[in-house]
Amino acid sequence: MEEKVLIFGHKSPDTDSICSSIACEILDKKNGKQFTKAVRLGNINKETQYVLNYLGLEIPELIEKVEEGQMVVLLDHNEFNQSVNGIEKAKILSVVDHHRIANFETSEPLFYTCKPYGCTSTIIFEEIKQLGYEIGKTEAILMASAIISDTLLLKSPTTTEYDKKALEELAKIANIDINEYGLEMLKAGTDLDDFTEEQLINLDAKNLEKDGQKFVIAQVNTISIEDVLKRQEKLEDAINKEIENKGLSLFVFGITDILNSNTEIIALGSKSEVVEKAFGKKLENNRAFLEGVVSRKKQLLPAIDKNI
Amino acid sequence: MEEKVLIFGHKSPDTDSICSSIACEILDKKNGKQFTKAVRLGNINKETQYVLNYLGLEIPELIEKVEEGQMVVLLDHNEFNQSVNGIEKAKILSVVDHHRIANFETSEPLFYTCKPYGCTSTIIFEEIKQLGYEIGKTEAILMASAIISDTLLLKSPTTTEYDKKALEELAKIANIDINEYGLEMLKAGTDLDDFTEEQLINLDAKNLEKDGQKFVIAQVNTISIEDVLKRQEKLEDAINKEIENKGLSLFVFGITDILNSNTEIIALGSKSEVVEKAFGKKLENNRAFLEGVVSRKKQLLPAIDKNI
């Protein structure tokens, strides 16, 4: 069992999960707090890799499971099925998150901060400011990158005034043109050519559960939905395999156009008709085009969760 | 459906649940925030009544259930089985609590603040200070009373540095002798003569659940354990009825001596041997004396929860 505190985001980590974890490790180290070590629960995506390259930072260590009693801090998630294997027996010291709370429990009181903001890093930024800690350029760019990623440069409907304010202040500390940097970062994340279909559907996949029914909502960002749809047949093969292996009732794969803020979904599974009710659109060739939809948390998940 | 936001603590409300709710209503009103109304989920105990009498405040309205979509704020609890009937379909805007998280879920992100402090009012005090709100004498005494109650005048092992600091600052604002006031308040809560046995076992009872097994840990404060034990036979009758009615595996009734900081427990139910493992003491005449034990949250619950 590691004596240090492991800090990590969810499985299929995104930029918020990775960058918030590293920022906390750096800030804790600087301020002589607990010995925190940032780790990750899955592969780094290309957008996150862009940030780490930009800052010359190493990829955090991958962990597969934690031992009983391991001290952990969860960022950007709370549901055990999105967390590390063994989480049920870990000692959860703290959670900082901006999602619904479900499939989560502890036997002891803990520090838990959830705010309905666009990004975990915005909450961390507020807490750090309250503690009076100094924020260096590296941490500022890490947290700014997380906010840009989660809010699609403040364009997603999940964006709050708090995210805008935090990004503005972080950009000042980082002393960079946030729009230029942000667009380059987001574009880096849309290069999907190197991935197999199995990888694509798992790049940013959330495992969910309701009344014993398991379902997945996965999402990729792109600058051309059409390009991704060229691979529809193979994507469906990969999704159907996943449905069988995991016993899913529904798999929704969202292909989000980050320039025009729309999403095309592919929906498969015995409960695929749920998305028709959820969005008032007939599936054609297993697909539906959802205008103005970009957010899984605010748009895809609530509508599907209500109807499944 | 009420348009205002209902704010309340747990069933079998204690001083923290009631006084934190009223303090928040007053502070929200003063600061022009959301229209918050403090309500309660059960009878006021004598300790809380002492506080309300002292301040000339009315008892909050009792509610039995909430309608679908009712906006609510939960204080001092999160578990749905300790909350209002209908909570599953309410819109939970915010939770401020200092207990473990379990049997709780939402479909949307929310404000959730849990800190492992001795009292909910300590967390509220910190938040109010950060917001820069002015705290008047009434709110100060309400929050101080909650802290005194939950920490038994800072003597319970649940007490943290944050509780001490908050009580000190609140005492200054209230401009009262906190030890004198606190002891009078605690003593008022130990007058159990007027209560039937059915009432006694429900005065401060927590309904708990683990792996489908339901159990209850109830507690009363006293200045004479012996006095309460004179009613053991009738208490056991009441407890056995409760076990049958609610299908409980275990009912633990803690009688806590607040002057000497010990607890005598009465344990009944098919799983009563759990407390023997939990505390390394044989039950004699269904009872065990637990030296130095005063806290349900920090001492009774974790030990029982681990062994049930």
Side-chain angles (χ1 to χ4, degrees), chain A residues 24 64 85 88 108 122 128-129 141 181 187 211 235:
Chain A
C24 286
E64 304 280 355
N85 297 330
E88 295 81 1
E108 306 266 344
T122 305
I128 292 300
K129 265 186 66 177
I141 292 178
Y181 169 81
K187 272 191 194 157
D211 304 332
L235 282 166

Side-chain angles (χ1 to χ4, degrees), chain B residues 90-274:
Chain B
K91 185 167 172 52
I92 305 171
L93 300 184
S94 176
V95 177
V96 183
D97 189 23
H98 63 131
H99 295 89
R100 69 165 188 177
I101 300 174
N103 309 309
F104 176 85
E105 66 169 30
T106 62
S107 57
E108 304 267 343
L110 72 164
F111 287 93
Y112 195 113
T113 309
C114 178
K115 296 185 182 184
Y117 292 177
C119 179
T120 310
S121 264
T122 305
I123 306 170
I124 295 170
F125 174 71
E126 285 188 357
E127 298 212 331
I128 293 300
K129 265 185 67 177
Q130 268 161 15
L131 287 167
Y133 290 177
E134 204 186 313
I135 298 171
K137 186 165 172 152
T138 301
E139 306 94 87
I141 291 177
L142 284 166
M143 289 190 273
S145 302
I147 296 172
I148 292 164
S149 170
D150 268 14
T151 65
L152 296 175
L153 252 173
L154 307 180
K155 281 199 296 187
S156 161
T158 56
T159 311
T160 66
E161 290 308 309
Y162 306 98
D163 301 301
K164 289 179 190 168
K165 194 161 173 286
L167 185 57
E168 195 183 319
E169 292 188 38
L170 288 165
K172 263 186 215 154
I173 298 170
N175 195 22
I176 56 171
D177 180 331
I178 214 68
N179 281 310
E180 192 185 322
Y181 170 81
L183 211 57
E184 283 308 310
M185 186 197 94
L186 289 175
K187 273 193 194 154
T190 66
D191 175 10
L192 303 173
D193 294 348
D194 289 357
F195 295 107
T196 66
E197 287 71 21
E198 286 71 25
Q199 289 170 326
L200 274 188
I201 63 163
N202 282 303
L203 270 185
D204 180 12
K206 277 246 188 315
N207 292 293
L208 299 148
E209 205 169 329
K210 190 177 175 187
D211 304 333
Q213 286 187 101
K214 292 180 185 176
F215 62 108
V216 167
I217 307 178
Q219 193 173 22
V220 290
N221 290 339
T222 181
I223 46 176
S224 163
I225 289 176
E226 206 181 327
D227 265 10
V228 182
L229 286 179
K230 285 185 189 144
R231 305 166 72 173
Q232 181 174 358
E233 201 177 324
K234 286 187 175 172
L235 282 167
E236 292 195 2
D237 289 347
I239 291 170
N240 281 323
K241 245 184 240 162
E242 197 78 356
I243 288 172
E244 204 182 310
N245 289 342
K246 291 191 174 167
L248 305 174
S249 312
L250 175 67
F251 194 113
V252 177
F253 182 66
I255 306 158
T256 298
D257 177 344
I258 58 163
L259 298 182
N260 301 300
S261 302
N262 301 310
T263 293
E264 179 99 23
I265 55 168
I266 299 175
L268 293 171
S270 59
K271 286 270 184 175
S272 63
E273 88 286 353
V274 162

Side-chain angles (χ1 to χ4, degrees), chain A residues 8-19 39-46 48 62 76 202-205:
Chain A
F8 48 83
H10 49 78
K11 281 177 180 163
S12 312
D14 58 7
T15 299
D16 187 17
S17 274
I18 298 291
C19 292
V39 294
R40 67 189 160 94
L41 306 187
N43 292 329
I44 297 279
N45 67 35
K46 288 189 181 178
T48 310
L62 177 74
D76 195 27
N202 282 304
L203 270 185
D204 180 13

Side-chain angles (χ1 to χ4, degrees), chain A residues 80 88 91-93 95 101 104-112, chain B residues 10 74-82 95-105 112-118 120 123 158 206-217 295-298 300-308:
Chain A
F80 282 179
E88 295 81 1
K91 183 163 175 51
I92 305 172
L93 300 183
V95 178
I101 299 174
F104 177 84
E105 66 170 29
T106 61
S107 58
E108 306 266 344
L110 73 164
F111 286 94
Y112 195 114
Chain B
H10 48 80
L74 311 189
L75 297 183
D76 197 25
H77 74 297
N78 67 83
E79 303 194 38
F80 282 180
N81 46 352
Q82 296 164 14
V95 177
V96 183
D97 189 23
H98 63 131
H99 295 89
R100 69 165 188 177
I101 300 174
N103 309 309
F104 176 85
E105 66 169 30
Y112 195 113
T113 309
C114 178
K115 296 185 182 184
Y117 292 177
T120 310
I123 306 170
T158 56
K206 277 246 188 315
N207 292 293
L208 299 148
E209 205 169 329
K210 190 177 175 187
D211 304 333
Q213 286 187 101
K214 292 180 185 176
F215 62 108
V216 167
I217 307 178
S295 166
R296 172 168 49 202
K297 190 170 69 169
K298 207 97 174 177
L300 293 173
L301 173 56
I304 292 168
D305 193 65
K306 229 168 261 167
N307 288 287
I308 203 164

Side-chain angles (χ1 to χ4, degrees), chain A residues 34 59 125 149 154-155 176 182 191 199 212 217 259 267 298-299 306:
Chain A
Q34 63 201 10
I59 300 173
F125 174 71
S149 170
L154 307 179
K155 283 198 296 186
I176 56 172
D191 175 10
Q199 288 171 327
I217 309 178
L259 298 182
K298 207 95 175 180
Q299 297 171 308
K306 229 169 260 164

Side-chain angles (χ1 to χ4, degrees), chain A residues 120-268:
Chain A
T120 310
S121 264
T122 305
I123 306 169
I124 294 170
F125 174 71
E126 285 188 356
E127 299 213 331
I128 292 300
K129 265 186 66 177
Q130 269 162 14
L131 288 167
Y133 290 177
E134 204 186 313
I135 298 171
K137 186 164 172 157
T138 301
E139 306 93 88
I141 292 178
L142 284 166
M143 289 191 273
S145 301
I147 297 172
I148 292 165
S149 170
D150 268 15
T151 67
L152 296 174
L153 254 173
L154 307 179
K155 283 198 296 186
S156 161
T158 56
T159 312
T160 67
E161 289 308 309
Y162 306 97
D163 302 300
K164 288 180 191 168
K165 193 160 170 289
L167 185 57
E168 196 183 318
E169 292 188 39
L170 288 166
K172 262 187 217 154
I173 298 170
N175 195 25
I176 56 172
D177 179 332
I178 213 69
N179 281 309
E180 193 186 321
Y181 169 81
L183 211 57
E184 284 308 308
M185 187 198 92
L186 289 174
K187 272 191 194 157
T190 66
D191 175 10
L192 304 174
D193 294 347
D194 290 355
F195 295 108
T196 66
E197 286 72 21
E198 286 72 25
Q199 288 171 327
L200 274 187
I201 63 165
N202 282 304
L203 270 185
D204 180 13
K206 277 247 191 309
N207 292 293
L208 300 148
E209 204 168 329
K210 191 177 175 187
D211 304 332
Q213 287 189 100
K214 293 179 184 177
F215 61 110
V216 167
I217 309 178
Q219 194 174 22
V220 291
N221 290 338
T222 181
I223 47 175
S224 164
I225 290 177
E226 206 181 327
D227 265 8
V228 182
L229 285 178
K230 283 184 190 146
R231 305 167 71 174
Q232 181 174 357
E233 202 177 321
K234 285 187 176 171
L235 282 166
E236 292 195 2
D237 289 346
I239 291 171
N240 280 323
K241 246 184 243 164
E242 197 79 356
I243 288 172
E244 206 182 309
N245 290 342
K246 291 190 174 166
L248 305 173
S249 310
L250 175 66
F251 194 112
V252 177
F253 182 67
I255 306 159
T256 298
D257 177 344
I258 58 164
L259 298 182
N260 301 300
S261 301
N262 301 309
T263 294
E264 178 99 24
I265 54 167
I266 299 175
L268 294 171

